Amino acid sequence: MTKPIIVANWKMNTLADQARRLVRRIVELSAEQHLDSVGTVVLCPPFVNISIVRSELTDTAIELGGQNCWTEPYGAYTGEVSAEMLRAVGCSYVIVGHSERRTIFGEDDEIVLRKMLRAWEASLIPIVCVGETLHQRQMHQTWDVLRRQLGNIAQHQDRSRAWVCAYEPVWAIGTGIAAEPEQIEQAHLYLRSFLDGHGCSHVPLIYGGSVNANNAAEIFAVPNVDGALVGTASLVAESFVAIIRASHDAHRTTT
Ligand code: PEP
């Protein structure tokens, strides 16, 4: 495993006090276990709690990210938040194309590309989510879906632009049932060669979908897995820090 990147997606969870308690505990446990020396950890709280979390991250190596952004820098887009605004409150990352954005809010590949370009304009590192639904997998369309979701993104590649690709099979998100290691291995092999073939060998490839403290080590042992995007388990500091620790152990055994 290369230097791991572990991303917490808190989704629409945590009131202000809960966010403060959660980040404090993550910082405390990470420090106790000396986990801030390898790889990257990114917390993506709800927008309204970003500043609270940021104030608790002073003097730590943990980074901040937004869960989404709009395609324009400012203007009459009621209810939206721009990449520039995220940057201004201390974010360095932003998640784009999460399956919940695609399915619940109807975002298509074109919007995802525009958000990615906007994130770059604002000097943020986009974390771009791709993945097939259960129906698409059962219809043997997984590779077509991944190719389509990454197709227009690949055309805008430039080695100077950092981004992270997150493989998140939709059927494994929030279900408590992660993809099997063999399924992750096949998908990551496919995506790795797609990315390498499009000038993106520098792009880390992380897995998301019901990663938890119990299955993290097995998932991090899969070839071409460079980290994880974690939803449910990131809301419990002990579980999230156990996942970070598993990524460090996996990194250590391969270097
Ligand atoms: C996610 O929201 O990206 C995610 C992977 O959630 P969970 O870990 O709960 O499956």
Side-chain angles (χ1 to χ4, degrees):
M1 185 190 229
T2 56
K3 283 194 168 187
I5 167 162
I6 307 295
V7 183
N9 176 12
W10 292 0
K11 310 195 189 191
M12 198 177 72
N13 295 297
T14 67
L15 301 178
D17 274 354
Q18 294 169 323
R20 192 176 291 108
R21 277 200 300 275
L22 179 55
V23 64
R24 278 188 186 162
R25 188 77 183 127
I26 290 171
V27 168
E28 190 178 73
L29 289 171
S30 304
E32 273 170 25
Q33 300 179 35
H34 308 290
L35 292 179
D36 52 4
S37 53
V38 184
T40 305
V41 174
V42 186
L43 304 184
C44 301
F47 295 140
V48 292
N49 290 336
I50 287 177
S51 293
I52 292 169
V53 172
R54 186 193 53 183
S55 63
E56 300 293 333
L57 293 180
T58 316
D59 298 330
T60 77
I62 298 176
E63 310 244 27
L64 260 179
Q67 296 176 15
N68 181 36
C69 66
W70 185 234
T71 59
E72 304 302 322
Y74 58 87
Y77 302 100
T78 302
E80 290 295 340
V81 165
S82 72
E84 284 76 2
M85 290 171 182
L86 293 175
R87 181 79 206 166
V89 291
C91 291
S92 10
Y93 289 81
V94 62
I95 299 171
V96 298
H98 191 281
S99 73
E100 287 151 18
R101 299 295 319 171
R102 292 177 190 263
T103 54
I104 304 171
F105 301 98
E107 295 185 4
D108 60 15
D109 295 329
E110 177 60 29
I111 291 272
V112 175
L113 172 66
R114 286 170 58 201
K115 290 184 174 192
M116 182 179 192
L117 297 174
R118 175 52 54 196
W120 279 336
E121 287 297 313
S123 304
L124 292 180
I125 300 177
I127 299 165
V128 182
C129 303
V130 296
E132 79 288 359
T133 62
L134 185 58
H135 178 71
Q136 289 164 334
R137 176 164 279 265
Q138 287 167 341
M139 300 301 284
H140 306 287
Q141 294 169 351
T142 300
W143 310 140
D144 294 341
V145 170
L146 297 179
R147 215 171 28 243
R148 191 201 70 228
Q149 290 176 330
L150 281 179
N152 55 0
I153 287 172
Q155 281 167 19
H156 289 78
Q157 284 320 300
D158 164 351
R159 277 203 64 88
S160 65
R161 304 289 205 180
W163 61 288
V164 177
C165 182
Y167 171 60
E168 296 213 301
V170 178
W171 46 274
I173 298 177
T175 59
I177 302 168
E180 293 296 328
E182 298 73 32
Q183 294 171 313
I184 301 174
E185 182 170 354
Q186 287 169 0
H188 277 237
L189 182 61
Y190 180 84
L191 287 168
R192 185 73 272 161
S193 58
F194 184 93
L195 292 170
D196 290 354
H198 289 81
C200 301
S201 48
H202 62 297
V203 173
L205 181 52
I206 65 177
Y207 167 78
S210 298
V211 177
N212 59 43
N214 297 324
N215 62 19
E218 187 180 33
I219 290 171
F220 295 146
V222 173
N224 297 308
V225 171
D226 301 316
L229 178 48
V230 186
T232 311
S234 72
L235 293 168
V236 178
E238 286 70 14
S239 305
F240 186 61
V241 172
I243 293 168
I244 301 171
R245 198 176 51 239
S247 75
H248 284 215
D249 293 345
H251 175 67
R252 217 171 289 124
T253 52
T254 51
T255 50

